[in-house]
């Protein structure tokens, strides 16, 4: 309004108008106050609902469940081992959406065998594609910087060239959940985003010495599905790996013992840490795969308390021979 | 009785009440202590505290319901709060009056002229409220910074931490406050600015006044100059506290309801308080520019997200920032704390301190524990701070919740975790017996235990040493050990915020230990 302008209304009507406006504002304030009254008491910022983070992709199929291929060429060994179990088609059907959890923990070259070998990753991606999988996504939440890990290990290039996609984790890709009955995985961020729409899950892990856990193989590999400050679980490493065995039930796992990291694990860093052990396992039971794997490291299952505990909980067969693994020679043809 | 006399009595009463509530803000049951005094009442009345926290938390903390009363008062009668209740306003008015006792009417009239810069406070209000809104929705990126300029928190922290401390009033005599110099000098500066322009703070800076000015938009009653009897002497403008120009055009949003104009009118009739717009002309809303308003909002909206890029609420969280017991998680804390420093004032051990810039801009003047400056660490059986907090940034804990182990078998509230610096700790580093920390650890069983060894010394003698070790599952981060450590420079045992129970992602303990 400009100077001297008091509006078109008479003083009485102006008073009534303002009075009504003030009353309306008053009512609105009171209403808002009542509506907002302690709606979020202090300490109640998170509104996330409880969430079951379990990933169960076990198929429960009859027939052979574990094969061990001996050889040197990882791709050939994988094909041979799978063929012994009835071929990839037994697990991956046309239209399946496959997620492959590799071990890409460190940004180190493939030759140091601290990570899943790119040739092996490329072959499993290719096989899934050939079997008709509509999408094949490879992921891990590694220890070193994710992008660096996937590039420097060669896994990134291998995935791209064989028709798969990479999923690099970010904060929003995890969701807090509690594993039923768990002591450790409670209200904890677990990778969720890349699991959307997934129908099959494959784990691919090398055989490695691990200072804290004794050995890092297919079960320890699920650590890479955890987010948050997960390194605090090293205070109870056997507890967390046992819980991971309950958290994740894969379609099958591939344990690569072509070379095994015998010392200085899990990072290694020298070819001197590696030993040719010439074995590659495909198994629907990760506990059985790891139970075999520890023999490659010169250990027994009794050196790995988490294996014993997982066996006691019925999460797999510690006595892997009970699965009657099919042993095959894999020669390059 | 003249209306201005009534106003002066009200101002005097509320100012005295405010000072009294500050003086008694000390834990205790003595006549000059907290007892049951409503020490945070002025903060509870403050609509800017209420609106700010409503914007950040989408919730009205019950203690702030009082503010609805001031909103109602303002909607009907304008800025009565500024002219009659506000203790900071009373101080400004008194100082301004004192400075102009010997001035001629003409000079007084000049100093009470409206100045276009009075719109500054509306831009400040817009920026501060915009910062309180999370630009992406939700509540995560909302930063409550109104307390920097909101006069009620400002006058509380200034009087409590600076003025009373300087005067050595009550229990405030032997207390130290980091930043008291800055707080006090700013306060003094704002008061002295009344020598330049009366009610400088109220006219140019006060975001609460701006909010009330806008809220009074529809007030049906107001100052009104009737033209019929008016001699146009303009004496009504002479002592106008708000510089709102009653003689017209009357700037309603600037009027502080001081009523001096009614008193000064020689006709005694033409200036009145009437249920109508002033016949001498009225400008009901501040003349702020759309451009300036949008720029202020843009600044406010981007300030918090930009600051958060520093990572202080994420991976780069400051380990030295130990919040008082019952403090909510950091993002919510920054959405609730109005920097009034009531917790700082009531803390009986003087361990709660107003943060400077060491924990980032956002945390400026928010409470943080300092285990060196006071008379002890956080006392095991004290829950004063949460009960002094007007906004729930520090929850009002029960003793049972703070101590844990009650019927629910819960763990105690942990503020952080003590760790022994083995390079400084006397037994660890120098082979001299000590374990004061173990002795003073207040939890039972103790969080600090000792390893015993027989150590050979260089001179061939042997000493039986007890070396302190901290158990993180028992340590509550109270800082008593740090306070008592005989290494008074840099302590041999120190607390950081690791393992604080308010943020589960800072936990050192495993889930089932929590």
């Amino acid at each position: 309004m400009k100077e001297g302008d008091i509006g078109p209304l008479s003083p009485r009507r102006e008073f009534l108008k303002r009075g009504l406006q003030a009353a309306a504002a008053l009512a609105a304030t009171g209403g808002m106050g009542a509506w907002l009254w302690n709606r979020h008491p202090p300490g109640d910022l998170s509104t996330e609902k409880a969430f079951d983070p379990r990933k169960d992709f076990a198929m429960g199929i009859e027939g052979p469940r574990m094969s061990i291929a001996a050889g040197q060429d990882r791709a050939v060994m994988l094909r041979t081992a799978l063929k012994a179990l009835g071929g990839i088609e037994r697990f991956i059907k046309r239209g399946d959406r496959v997620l492959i959890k590799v071990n890409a923990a460190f940004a180190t070259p493939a030759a140091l065998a601290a990570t899943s070998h790119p040739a092996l990753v490329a072959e499993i991606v290719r096989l899934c594609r050939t079997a008709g999988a509509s999408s094949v996504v490879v992921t891990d939440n590694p220890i070193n910087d994710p992008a660096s890990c996937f590039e420097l290990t060669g896994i990134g290039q291998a995935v791209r060239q064989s028709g798969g996609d990479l999923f690099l984790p970010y904060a929003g890709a995890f969701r807090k959940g509690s594993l039923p009955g768990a002591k450790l995985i409670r209200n904890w961020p677990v990778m969720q985003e890349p699991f959307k729409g997934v129908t099959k899950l494959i784990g691919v892990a090398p055989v490695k010495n691990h200072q804290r856990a004794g050995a890092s193989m297919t079960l320890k590999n699920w650590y890479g599905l955890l987010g948050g400050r997960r390194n605090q679980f090293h205070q109870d490493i056997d507890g967390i790996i046992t819980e991971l065995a309950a958290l994740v039930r894969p379609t099958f796992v591939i344990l690569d013992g072509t070379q095994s990291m015998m010392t200085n694990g899990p990072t290694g860093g020298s070819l001197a840490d590696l030993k040719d052990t010439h074995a590659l396992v495909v198994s629907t039971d990760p506990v059985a795969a790891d139970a075999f794997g520890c023999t490659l490291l010169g250990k027994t299952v009794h050196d790995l308390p988490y294996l014993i505990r997982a066996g006691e909980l019925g999460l797999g067969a510690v006595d892997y021979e009970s699965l009657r693994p099919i042993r095959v020679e894999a020669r390059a043809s | 009785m003249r209306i201005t006399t009534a106003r002066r009595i009200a101002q005097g009463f509320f100012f005295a009440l405010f000072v009294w509530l500050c003086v008694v803000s000390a834990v205790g049951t003595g006549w000059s202590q907290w007892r049951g005094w409503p020490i945070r009442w002025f903060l509870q009345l403050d609509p800017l505290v209420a609106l700010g926290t409503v914007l950040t938390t989408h919730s009205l903390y019950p203690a702030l319901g009082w503010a609805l009363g001031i909103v109602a008062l303002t909607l009907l009668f304008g800025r009565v709060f500024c002219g009659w209740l506000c203790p900071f306003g009373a101080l400004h008015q008194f100082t301004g009056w004192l400075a102009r006792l010997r001035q001629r009417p003409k000079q007084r009239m000049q100093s009470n002229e409206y100045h276009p810069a009075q719109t500054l406070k509306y831009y400040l209000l817009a920026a501060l409220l915009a910062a309180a809104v999370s630009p992406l929705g939700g509540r995560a990126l909302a930063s409550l910074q109104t307390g920097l300029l909101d006069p009620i928190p400002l006058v509380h922290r200034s009087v409590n931490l600076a003025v009373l401390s300087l005067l050595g009033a009550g229990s405030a005599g032997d207390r130290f406050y980091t930043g008291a110099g800055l707080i006090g000098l700013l306060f003094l500066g704002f008061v002295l600015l009344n020598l330049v322009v009366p009610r400088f703070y109220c006219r140019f800076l006060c975001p609460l006044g701006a909010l009330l000015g806008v809220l009074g938009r529809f007030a049906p009653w107001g100052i009104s100059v009737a033209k019929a009897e008016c001699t146009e002497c303009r004496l009504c403008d002479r002592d106008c506290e708000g510089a709102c120009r009653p003689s017209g055009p009357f700037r309603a949003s600037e009027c502080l309801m001081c009523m001096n104009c009614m008193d000064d009118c020689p006709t005694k009739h033409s200036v009145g308080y009437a249920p109508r717009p002033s016949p001498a002309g009225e400008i009901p809303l501040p003349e702020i520019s759309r451009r300036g308003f949008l720029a202020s909002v843009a600044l406010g909206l981007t300030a918090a997200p930009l600051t958060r890029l520093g990572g202080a609420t994420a991976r780069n969280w400051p380990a030295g920032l130990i919040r008082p017991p019952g403090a909510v998680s950091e993002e919510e804390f920054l959405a609730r704390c109005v920097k009034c420093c009531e917790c700082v004032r009531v803390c009986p051990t003087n361990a709660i301190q107003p943060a400077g810039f060491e924990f980032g801009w956002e945390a400026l003047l928010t409470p943080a524990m300092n285990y060196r400056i006071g008379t002890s660490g956080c006392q095991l059986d004290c829950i004063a701070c949460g009960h002094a907090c007007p906004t729930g940034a520090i929850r009002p804990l029960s003793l049972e919740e703070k101590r844990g182990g009650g019927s629910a078998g819960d763990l105690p509230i942990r503020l952080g975790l003590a760790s022994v610096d083995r390079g400084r700790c006397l037994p660890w580093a120098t082979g001299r017996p000590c374990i004061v920390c173990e002795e003073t650890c207040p939890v039972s069983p103790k969080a600090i235990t000792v390893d015993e060894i027989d150590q050979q010394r260089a001179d061939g003698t042997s000493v039986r040493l007890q070396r302190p070790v901290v158990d993180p599952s028992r340590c509550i981060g109270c800082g008593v050990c740090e306070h008592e450590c005989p290494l008074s420079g840099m302590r041999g045992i120190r607390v950081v915020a690791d393992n604080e129970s308010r943020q589960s992602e800072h936990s050192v303990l495993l889930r089932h230990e929590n």
Side-chain angles (χ1 to χ4, degrees):
Chain A
M1 280 193 203
K2 292 282 171 278
E3 194 164 335
D5 180 8
I6 59 160
L9 301 173
S10 70
R12 181 187 295 269
R13 302 192 85 184
E14 181 69 27
F15 172 75
L16 284 173
K17 186 181 140 203
R18 286 194 183 190
L20 283 172
Q21 286 168 326
L26 210 61
T29 308
M32 285 291 280
W35 183 53
L36 293 170
W37 193 263
N38 212 22
R39 205 154 60 107
H40 304 289
D44 164 50
L45 194 63
S46 73
T47 49
E48 203 150 9
K49 286 182 199 148
F51 162 70
D52 186 343
R54 277 181 291 188
K55 324 282 184 203
D56 189 353
F57 296 93
M59 293 174 75
I61 46 178
E62 299 293 315
R65 288 160 58 193
M66 180 173 177
S67 61
I68 306 167
Q72 287 174 349
D73 183 317
R74 290 177 169 89
V76 177
M77 291 159 87
L78 175 62
R79 284 198 300 271
T80 313
L82 274 170
K83 197 174 167 189
L85 293 180
I88 184 87
E89 297 77 11
R90 188 166 158 234
F91 304 101
I92 307 298
K93 312 286 184 206
R94 185 155 297 281
D96 264 341
R97 298 170 67 89
V98 182
L99 183 67
I100 300 175
K101 165 66 178 77
V102 297
N103 182 337
F106 304 105
T108 51
L112 292 176
T115 49
S116 297
H117 199 281
L120 181 61
V121 176
E123 185 63 12
I124 185 61
V125 171
R126 195 187 64 75
L127 286 172
C128 290
R129 276 294 195 197
T130 311
S134 60
S135 80
V136 181
V137 176
V138 174
T139 195
D140 189 15
N141 182 26
I143 294 166
N144 294 160
D145 168 63
S148 308
C149 283
F150 280 106
E151 291 318 306
L152 294 179
T153 56
I155 296 174
Q157 195 184 17
V159 170
R160 284 189 294 269
Q161 287 178 350
S162 51
D165 294 299
L166 276 184
F167 180 86
L168 294 186
Y170 54 93
F174 296 83
R175 196 168 160 193
K176 282 186 178 177
S178 297
L179 176 68
K183 287 165 77 179
L184 299 170
I185 303 176
R186 277 165 50 185
N187 196 27
W188 195 269
V190 176
M191 199 191 280
Q192 182 61 18
E193 185 67 23
F195 280 89
K196 283 184 180 162
V198 161
T199 55
K200 298 287 160 63
L201 174 68
I202 302 171
V204 183
V207 177
K208 298 197 290 179
N209 161 259
H210 191 279
Q211 294 293 11
R212 182 72 185 90
S216 170
M217 294 177 286
T218 66
L219 289 177
K220 172 70 175 64
N221 187 35
W222 304 131
Y223 218 96
L225 295 178
L226 298 175
R229 302 293 301 174
R230 59 187 180 185
N231 36 20
Q232 67 168 240
F233 293 132
H234 273 53
Q235 295 171 55
D236 182 6
I237 197 80
D238 292 317
I240 190 65
I241 299 177
T242 309
E243 288 189 6
L244 286 170
L247 178 78
V248 188
R249 312 288 285 157
T251 309
F252 64 88
V253 293
I254 303 166
L255 179 65
D256 178 14
T258 313
Q259 291 175 301
S260 295
M261 183 184 290
M262 307 303 289
T263 51
N264 210 31
T267 51
S270 166
L271 293 176
D273 295 320
L274 307 180
K275 178 183 166 189
D276 291 334
T277 42
H278 307 297
L280 184 139
V281 181
V282 174
S283 173
T284 58
D285 178 349
V287 177
D290 285 8
F292 169 78
C294 67
T295 65
L296 301 178
L297 293 169
K299 294 174 189 279
T300 74
V301 290
H302 299 289
D303 296 321
L304 303 175
Y306 64 81
L307 274 186
I308 303 291
R309 274 155 72 173
E312 285 166 0
L313 291 171
L315 299 170
V318 179
D319 175 16
Y320 66 90
E321 292 290 1
S322 68
L323 296 188
R324 304 217 179 111
I326 303 167
R327 288 181 160 81
V328 285
E329 284 286 320
R331 289 185 214 290
S333 50
Chain B
M1 187 166 66
R2 290 185 308 183
I3 187 79
T4 49
T5 308
R7 188 210 72 226
R8 282 187 199 111
I9 291 172
Q11 283 181 294
F13 169 76
F14 285 113
F15 185 78
L17 177 64
F18 161 73
V19 172
W20 177 249
L21 293 179
C22 286
V23 168
V24 300
S25 294
V27 177
T29 52
W31 69 272
S32 65
Q33 289 173 316
W34 191 351
R35 309 174 82 177
W37 289 107
I39 57 168
R40 53 183 187 170
W41 186 62
F42 279 95
L43 291 151
Q44 293 174 282
L45 283 180
D46 183 343
L48 188 52
V49 171
L51 177 61
T53 51
V54 159
L55 288 177
T56 53
T57 66
H58 306 175
S59 174
L60 180 63
Y61 191 55
L64 301 176
W66 284 95
L68 295 174
I70 297 299
V71 171
L73 184 73
T74 312
L75 284 170
L76 293 174
F77 306 109
R79 292 170 66 178
V80 180
F81 181 85
C82 303
W84 293 57
L85 273 86
C86 179
F88 204 25
L91 187 61
H92 292 310
Q93 183 155 354
F94 180 73
T95 327
W97 169 79
L98 209 59
R100 282 164 190 79
L101 268 181
R102 288 158 174 259
Q103 278 192 359
R104 292 152 189 263
K106 193 178 175 188
Q107 287 174 294
R108 269 150 64 187
M109 201 172 285
Q110 274 170 353
S111 58
N112 289 329
E113 285 267 358
Y114 175 77
H115 192 288
Q118 285 177 232
T119 52
L120 175 63
K121 60 180 175 289
Y122 299 98
Y123 298 121
L124 289 172
L125 174 71
L128 291 169
L129 292 183
V133 175
S134 188
L136 303 174
R139 287 176 281 157
L141 281 173
S143 185
L144 190 57
Q145 298 296 328
T146 53
L148 289 172
L149 289 175
D150 186 338
I152 303 301
L154 188 151
V155 74
H156 274 83
R157 64 174 180 259
S158 303
V159 169
N160 272 324
L161 309 190
V163 179
L164 290 184
S165 296
L166 208 59
L167 298 175
S171 70
D174 185 31
R175 291 169 71 94
F176 298 98
Y177 298 106
T178 56
L182 180 70
I183 293 169
L185 285 173
L186 270 173
F187 178 72
L188 188 61
F190 289 140
V191 172
L192 291 180
L193 278 168
N194 290 303
L195 304 183
V196 183
V197 177
R199 287 260 194 181
F200 182 97
Y201 194 88
C202 315
R203 291 183 193 176
F204 299 109
L205 297 175
C206 184
L208 173 57
L211 174 65
L212 298 179
V214 176
L215 281 181
R217 162 72 178 88
F218 302 123
W221 289 272
I223 296 298
S224 168
V225 177
K227 287 221 159 156
E229 297 107 14
C230 177
T231 60
E232 304 205 2
C233 67
R234 293 195 56 208
L235 279 176
C236 50
D237 295 344
R238 184 184 63 188
D239 297 312
C240 175
E241 286 289 310
C244 57
R245 196 179 167 125
S247 66
F250 172 58
R251 293 177 184 272
S253 58
E254 302 302 306
C255 175
L256 305 182
M257 295 291 151
C258 69
M259 311 290 192
N260 280 343
C261 48
M262 292 168 69
D263 211 27
D264 285 346
C265 178
T267 71
K268 295 291 171 201
H269 302 296
S270 25
V271 182
Y273 183 67
R276 63 180 182 201
S278 178
E282 187 168 320
I283 301 172
L285 275 174
E287 291 181 311
I288 57 172
S289 75
R290 177 190 301 249
R291 221 172 246 242
F293 175 75
L294 290 177
S296 308
V297 169
L299 266 175
L301 272 180
T302 45
L306 275 175
T307 308
R308 298 280 166 102
L309 289 179
T313 55
R315 291 196 289 269
N316 194 30
W317 67 276
L321 176 55
I322 303 161
R323 295 290 191 192
V328 291
S329 66
E330 189 62 13
E331 276 188 351
E332 190 183 358
F333 192 91
L334 293 172
R336 284 186 180 272
C337 178
V338 291
K339 309 173 194 283
C340 64
C341 294
E342 288 290 275
C343 53
V344 176
R345 173 69 171 95
V346 300
C347 178
T349 62
N350 194 203
I352 306 180
Q353 292 289 322
F357 288 101
E358 65 271 32
F359 305 121
W361 303 355
E362 272 191 284
L364 180 65
L365 297 173
T366 62
M369 308 304 289
N370 177 329
Y371 294 136
R372 291 182 66 199
I373 194 170
T375 55
S376 183
C378 176
Q379 304 298 281
L380 195 61
D381 284 324
C382 176
I383 45 171
C385 48
H387 292 267
C389 179
T391 63
I394 308 174
R395 290 184 296 123
L397 299 175
S398 66
L399 268 180
E400 188 183 45
E401 187 181 1
K402 190 185 178 203
R403 297 196 58 162
S407 50
D410 295 326
L411 282 147
I413 298 284
R414 296 184 308 265
L415 310 190
L417 175 63
S419 58
V420 178
D421 184 340
R422 295 186 177 184
R424 289 186 60 77
C425 169
L426 292 177
W428 281 103
T430 70
R432 304 171 75 87
C434 177
I435 64 158
V436 173
C437 54
E438 189 268 353
E439 283 170 23
T440 54
C441 175
V443 302
S444 176
K446 285 184 186 292
I448 303 176
T449 53
V450 292
D451 286 349
E452 296 203 10
I453 60 146
D454 289 306
Q455 187 173 303
Q456 293 288 319
R457 282 175 162 161
D459 61 6
T461 59
S462 165
V463 62
R464 182 113 182 120
L465 271 186
Q466 294 169 306
R467 301 193 295 203
V469 175
V470 179
D471 179 352
S473 71
R474 292 188 197 145
C475 177
I476 55 171
C478 70
V480 170
C481 55
E482 179 174 338
H483 188 271
E484 301 308 326
C485 177
L487 295 169
S488 67
M490 181 194 257
R491 306 294 210 260
I493 185 166
R494 299 186 294 276
V495 178
V496 289
D498 285 294
N499 215 28
E500 57 181 344
S501 40
R502 71 190 184 112
Q503 307 234 119
S504 62
E505 59 272 34
H506 296 173
S507 177
V508 173
L509 301 175
L510 298 173
R511 279 296 191 262
H512 59 282
E513 296 175 302
N514 275 300

